[in-house]
């Protein structure tokens, strides 16, 4: 139905990353099902995140399929995962003022988290025991204290990306064993802040990171 961009490689996950500021204006989007989901958000930052990540998806779909969001039919599952027709596989994530979209030829999951949001959690024993298995806890504990936040952030995004890729009914982080379910994980420096980013697929892939400017202006 849609012709793909010549740059689309079936063994590459294309990850689009964008940073927005607090002054971004949330405007109506298509389709109406997404617009309603955005407008239901009472928290201003969450509303901006959902708006900006949808604008970034529009940009990414145009790069690879020649059509933006208005060229697809969208659905949202009970666990909050968005999907569309025409085998256009994508995954969305956001944290603070950063939004991320992953485009792939097959099933894909992406997650991004600000490392700073794990500074307290890395020393919260109850939280760590709730989300990590024994091997993962050991991996965290042997880290230097200054690196524990980023290690926990990477483990968390690893688990989230696998959950999104598999599209399970609910997120149970402890049951997702990062030692057995691979993901491409890395740290990004964006606007002076560190973010953990993970991409999960069913097969080994190359991950291409594309930083995008203020496309919502």
């Amino acid at each position: 139905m849609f012709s793909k961009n010549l740059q689309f490689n079936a063994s590459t996950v294309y990850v689009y990353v964008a940073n927005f500021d607090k002054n971004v204006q949330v405007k109506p989007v298509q389709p109406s099902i997404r617009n309603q989901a955005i407008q239901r958000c009472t928290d201003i930052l969450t509303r901006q995140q959902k708006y900006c990540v949808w604008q970034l998806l529009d940009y990414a779909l145009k790069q690879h399929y020649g059509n933006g969001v208005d060229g697809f039919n969208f659905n949202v599952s009970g666990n909050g995962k968005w999907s569309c027709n025409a085998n256009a596989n994508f995954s969305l994530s956001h944290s603070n003022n950063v939004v991320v979209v992953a485009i792939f030829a097959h099933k894909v999951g992406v997650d991004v988290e600000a490392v700073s949001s794990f500074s307290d959690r890395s020393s919260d024993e109850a939280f760590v025991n709730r989300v990590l298995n024994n091997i993962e806890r050991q991996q965290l504990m042997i880290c230097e204290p200054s690196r524990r936040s980023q290690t926990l952030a990477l483990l968390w995004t690893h688990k989230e990306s696998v959950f999104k890729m598999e599209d399970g009914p609910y997120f149970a982080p402890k049951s997702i064993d990062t030692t057995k379910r691979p993901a491409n994980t890395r740290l990004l420096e964006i606007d002076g802040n560190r973010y953990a980013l993970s991409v999960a697929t069913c097969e080994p892939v190359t991950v291409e990171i594309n930083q995008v400017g203020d496309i919502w202006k």
Side-chain angles (χ1 to χ4, degrees):
M1 182 177 179
F2 297 101
S3 60
K4 295 181 181 179
N5 188 298
L6 292 177
Q7 296 179 349
F8 195 101
N9 187 317
S11 63
T12 300
V13 178
Y14 297 88
V15 177
Y16 293 86
V17 181
N19 188 38
F20 66 90
D21 63 47
K22 64 181 180 180
N23 296 316
V24 67
Q25 294 184 352
V26 177
K27 302 175 183 178
V29 301
Q30 294 295 330
S32 60
I33 184 176
R34 179 66 182 189
N35 193 58
Q36 291 167 5
I38 293 172
Q39 297 305 322
R40 281 196 299 267
C41 296
T42 57
D43 180 75
I44 295 175
L45 176 59
T46 303
R47 192 184 306 134
Q48 290 175 325
Q49 290 171 337
K50 291 183 178 294
Y51 168 75
C52 289
V53 80
W54 201 252
Q55 295 296 91
L56 186 58
L57 175 64
D58 181 69
Y59 175 89
L61 289 175
K62 287 176 180 176
Q63 302 305 303
H64 299 288
Y65 295 93
N67 290 271
V69 295
D70 57 352
F72 297 86
N73 295 319
F74 290 89
N75 295 296
V76 59
S77 66
N79 63 15
K81 180 176 180 178
W82 289 82
S83 60
C84 66
N85 62 341
N87 295 319
N89 296 284
F90 66 89
S91 184
L92 312 175
S93 187
H94 45 73
S95 179
N96 290 358
N97 295 82
V98 169
V99 290
V100 175
V101 171
I103 299 284
F104 187 44
H106 307 290
K107 292 195 301 181
V108 63
V110 69
D111 192 57
V112 65
E113 299 286 349
V115 170
S116 60
S117 65
F118 288 84
S119 57
D120 293 331
R121 289 179 172 182
S122 62
S123 58
D124 183 341
E125 187 175 347
F127 176 80
V128 169
N129 289 338
R130 189 165 65 250
V131 303
L132 302 184
N133 62 33
N134 291 335
I135 296 176
E136 293 164 345
R137 281 199 302 273
Q138 292 172 7
Q139 183 180 343
L140 180 66
M141 290 302 104
I142 63 174
C143 288
E144 296 177 9
S146 61
R147 298 185 60 191
R148 285 180 184 169
S149 296
Q150 72 178 42
T151 299
L152 184 57
L154 288 167
L155 287 168
W156 178 271
T157 59
H158 186 148
K159 290 169 181 283
E160 275 268 22
S161 66
V162 170
F163 165 69
K164 290 180 178 181
M165 186 267 293
E166 295 181 345
D167 196 19
Y170 58 91
F171 182 45
K174 195 168 185 175
S175 67
I176 300 174
D177 189 344
T178 59
T179 66
K180 297 179 180 178
R181 293 151 104 172
N184 187 299
T185 62
R186 65 186 68 193
L187 290 169
L188 299 178
E189 187 86 14
I190 303 172
D191 198 26
N193 298 306
R194 287 182 303 156
Y195 289 83
L197 174 74
S198 292
V199 178
T201 59
C202 291
E203 64 272 2
V205 295
T206 299
V207 174
E208 179 180 302
I209 306 291
N210 301 277
Q211 198 133 6
V212 179
D214 295 338
I215 56 175
W216 29 81
K217 286 188 175 180

